[in-house]
Structures are given as C-alpha cells and as structure tokens.
Amino acid sequence: MIGRAKRSARSSDWPRSTMSDTRTMDTLHLMRALGISMIVLNHSVRFPLAGGMNIMFLISGLSFAAIVFVDNGHSIWRVSWQFVRRLLIASLALTAFWAIVWWGQVHPAELLMVSNWLGLKRVALYPVLYTQVVVQMALALALVFSIPWMRRTATHHSLAFALASLALALGMAAFSKAHFDTIPINDKLPHLHLWNFALGWVFWAALVRREPQTRDRIALSLLLIAVAVLVFPVLELKSWVTRQYMFTLPILMFVWCPRITLPRTLAHPILLISQATLAIFFIHLPLVKAGQWALRTYFGKVPSVMGFVNFVFVMLGSILLWAAFVALARVWRQTEFKRYLVEIWHRHFGWRKGALRAEIGS
C-alpha cells in the first residue's frame, strides 16, 4: 500500500559520500517512485499516462501478502488494521478537512468511504477512490481470512493460493464488466481491482517468499505480459494501450533486477519520492490546482509545456511539505513539549497521578 505497508528506504539504500558515482537500491523504490510520479503527471499535464495506479495496487498487494501470508501469531484483524491504518486515518482526516472547507458539499458517503459505489463526484482534493477501494478490499479480505483454513492455506501454500486468487479475481472482474455497466461510476469498485491486488500476492510468493529461479522469472514475465495484453482491453480501462507499457515495463524490471544501480544524482530523488509517496498522494491535487491557477492567471490558459513545469512544482512542493512534517515530528519526539502536553491533558481530565507518571514514563 501506499502507507505503512510499503517498505521504506533503508539507510543502506541511500547514496553515501564516497568516491563512487553510483548507488544500488531496491527496484521496488524505483517502482513506487514511478507509480506516484505517473499519477501526479497525469493530473498535472492531463497527459494520458495511465498505469501509475495499477503499479500502486500491485505494490499494495505485495505489502498485504507480506503481513498476512505469514505465521506471525497476530489476528487477521490486527494485521489488516496495520495494513490500512495510516492510509485510512489520513484519508478520514483530509476528507473531514475538505468537508469543513466545502461546507455542505461533501456527501456523507464520502466520509463513510463508500461514495465509489454511488458514482458521486468527489469533493476531497485527493484520490479518495483509491483509498476507498483499498479499504473495502482489506475489510472483505479480513472477513475471508478470518476463516482459519483460508489463512492457513495462504501461509503454507502461498504461490498456489495466490495464483488461484488471481484467476478467481480475473473471472469476477470479467463477469462484472460483461453483465453490469460500471463506467458511469468510473469502475472504481473493489472487485474490479482485486486482480491487480492478487497479482501482487503472486509476485510476493514467487520472488520474496522464496529464492526465485530463472524459470520462475520467465513464468512471472509471461504471466505479467498475458495479464497486460488480455485484461486491460477486456476490462475497458482508460488509455489501456499506454497502460500496458507503463504498467508492464517497470514490473519486468522488478522481476529481473531486484536491485538496480543508478547514478547518485538519480538515486537521491528516487529514494526521496519513494519515501514521500504517501504525502505526495494526499498533497498533490491542491498543489496541482494552485499551479494551474497561477499559470492561468499569467498566461490566460495552461500551455502544455507549462504543465510539466507544474508537475515539477507539485513534486518539489509535496516533498518539501513532507520533509517539514518529518522534521517537526522528529523535534516533537525529542523534546519535552510532548510530555508537557500529556501532563496538562491528564491533569484536566482527572487521571490519577500514579497512572499519569507510569504512562509518561513508558
């Protein structure tokens, strides 16, 4: 997922001040950076560069499998909450914020994370439909995996379970498209994207759960190409021709090159974007609107080439805001201000002094 579930950049991935002009990093960071960059570029330039959201769904599926398809002793509800926690909390907070800003214009279904089923125009300025689909999928899957033998099968027979789930999800999506017209609601329904999620399970089971062989990589490549060639046109996804290439090529790189060596001048921004993906996801639309307003004010309209300038502005602005938030959070953790506020809170709400000191001390 875009939030907690994704792997953060490790310190060993960061380019160091050495004589070397290159640095090796996990290809997953490059995939994540490409995915979120394509989403922002599509919104900034209105260029039909589809496929970014598909990459994000696949990465979310990888992350989901990493915490569910293992015998960690935790309940399915606990790990499902761990999977969606940051994404859901941030989404609810931002939706409530935009509900206040656009008072009276936000439908209750948007606050309840179900407006994707009603085809309502979103008011919150972030891709709320992605959040709704992921949260609804996580809830439905938690119900499925609460059946003991289902999760046990996924844990002990991960690849077979993932392949069966992918086949079932593809059949479900094809049946739905054949019998129901979901175009008016932009096809933003969880069962239409479950295949993308389950494809991430297959990649996790084949590439991460075990040491992959060459034949495994060949099989995964053929599966990926077959899915891209057959599924996108059948599901009538927008810009499906572009989507085939932009979705397939980065993932093929992930299959064959789990770690990639890049110049340090590229490694730095890629890792920054990878780490800031969640912030970029939630922040970029207001910045896109601000940039477009500024360009219209100056030029009278938004020239195509200036859309790319707006893209750079949005990416830099999102990363700077994310860096500022991270710095403030670090200062918050390292100062006594948090302790002071906790003391005031408990003093006014009547907590016992011993319990207060015990909690602060912990």
Side-chain angles (χ1 to χ4, degrees):
M1 193 179 65
I2 293 181
R4 175 181 175 86
K6 63 184 186 295
R7 290 188 295 175
S8 60
R10 299 176 303 185
S11 59
S12 60
D13 285 324
W14 281 93
R16 298 171 183 169
S17 299
T18 64
M19 297 300 293
S20 174
D21 292 330
T22 62
R23 187 62 189 175
T24 301
M25 70 174 71
D26 288 346
T27 306
L28 192 62
H29 296 310
L30 178 60
M31 278 178 56
R32 189 178 297 118
L34 283 173
I36 193 65
S37 297
M38 282 192 283
I39 292 171
V40 176
L41 187 62
N42 199 31
H43 291 156
S44 302
V45 187
R46 297 297 179 186
F47 185 77
L49 191 62
M53 200 63 82
N54 294 104
I55 293 175
M56 289 302 177
F57 273 121
L58 186 136
I59 294 175
S60 296
L62 278 166
S63 303
F64 183 85
I67 61 174
V68 173
F69 291 13
V70 292
D71 188 9
N72 53 21
H74 299 314
S75 71
I76 183 60
W77 297 104
R78 177 174 177 179
V79 295
S80 297
W81 171 245
Q82 177 187 351
F83 175 71
V84 301
R85 180 177 58 190
R86 291 205 302 174
L87 183 67
L88 179 59
I89 292 175
S91 298
L92 290 174
L94 279 176
T95 303
F97 169 78
W98 289 112
I100 295 173
V101 172
W102 310 111
W103 187 257
Q105 298 184 37
V106 175
H107 195 279
E110 191 167 349
L111 288 168
L112 295 173
M113 293 288 159
V114 294
S115 61
N116 57 320
W117 289 89
L118 304 177
L120 299 172
K121 182 180 178 181
R122 72 165 183 256
V123 175
L125 290 182
Y126 71 93
V128 63
L129 297 177
Y130 169 85
T131 303
Q132 293 176 349
V133 168
V134 170
V135 171
Q136 290 165 17
M137 278 197 297
L139 177 60
L141 291 170
L143 290 171
V144 171
F145 286 112
S146 63
I147 303 173
W149 66 267
M150 288 291 291
R151 191 175 181 192
R152 191 162 53 245
T153 303
T155 300
H156 297 293
H157 307 284
S158 300
L159 184 56
F161 183 87
L163 288 170
S165 299
L166 175 62
L168 180 62
L170 287 171
M172 190 187 313
F175 178 85
S176 178
K177 288 295 293 184
H179 293 83
F180 303 98
D181 183 13
T182 54
I183 293 178
I185 54 177
N186 296 322
D187 296 330
K188 301 298 184 182
L189 301 177
H191 61 279
L192 295 179
H193 296 274
L194 181 59
W195 69 267
N196 205 159
F197 207 63
L199 187 61
W201 302 355
V202 175
F203 278 78
W204 178 85
L207 296 176
V208 181
R209 183 68 183 267
R210 62 181 186 177
E211 187 66 29
Q213 305 296 321
T214 301
R215 63 176 180 272
D216 298 323
R217 301 185 192 277
I218 294 174
L220 282 175
S221 301
L222 293 175
L223 174 65
L224 177 64
I225 293 170
V227 167
V229 170
L230 298 175
V231 174
F232 289 153
V234 169
L235 296 184
E236 301 175 354
L237 298 179
K238 293 180 180 178
S239 306
W240 61 264
V241 176
T242 306
R243 194 182 299 267
Q244 287 176 330
Y245 293 100
M246 301 310 298
F247 173 68
T248 306
L249 294 178
I251 300 174
L252 282 176
M253 185 184 302
F254 172 66
V255 171
W256 290 97
C257 303
R259 291 180 66 79
I260 186 172
T261 300
L262 294 173
R264 288 192 297 164
T265 52
L266 286 178
H268 269 298
I270 287 172
L271 287 166
L272 274 174
I273 294 171
S274 177
Q275 284 190 309
T277 296
L278 184 64
I280 296 171
F281 176 79
F282 283 120
I283 295 172
H284 78 275
L285 275 179
L287 293 179
V288 167
K289 300 290 185 183
Q292 290 174 343
W293 174 82
L295 291 172
R296 287 195 201 94
T297 302
Y298 188 80
F299 293 102
K301 62 178 182 178
V302 182
S304 298
V305 66
M306 295 307 293
F308 291 96
V309 175
N310 192 25
F311 165 74
V312 175
F313 160 73
V314 171
M315 294 297 289
L316 289 176
S318 299
I319 291 173
L320 288 174
L321 288 172
W322 165 78
F325 176 81
V326 171
L328 287 173
R330 188 170 299 162
V331 170
W332 167 266
R333 288 193 299 266
Q334 294 177 353
T335 61
E336 296 296 318
F337 187 58
K338 179 180 179 181
R339 182 187 297 268
Y340 174 71
L341 289 181
V342 171
E343 288 180 355
I344 292 178
W345 173 270
H346 287 296
R347 189 178 302 133
H348 281 79
F349 285 88
W351 285 75
R352 289 180 296 113
K353 203 169 185 180
L356 167 64
R357 288 177 177 172
E359 182 167 342
I360 295 176
S362 61

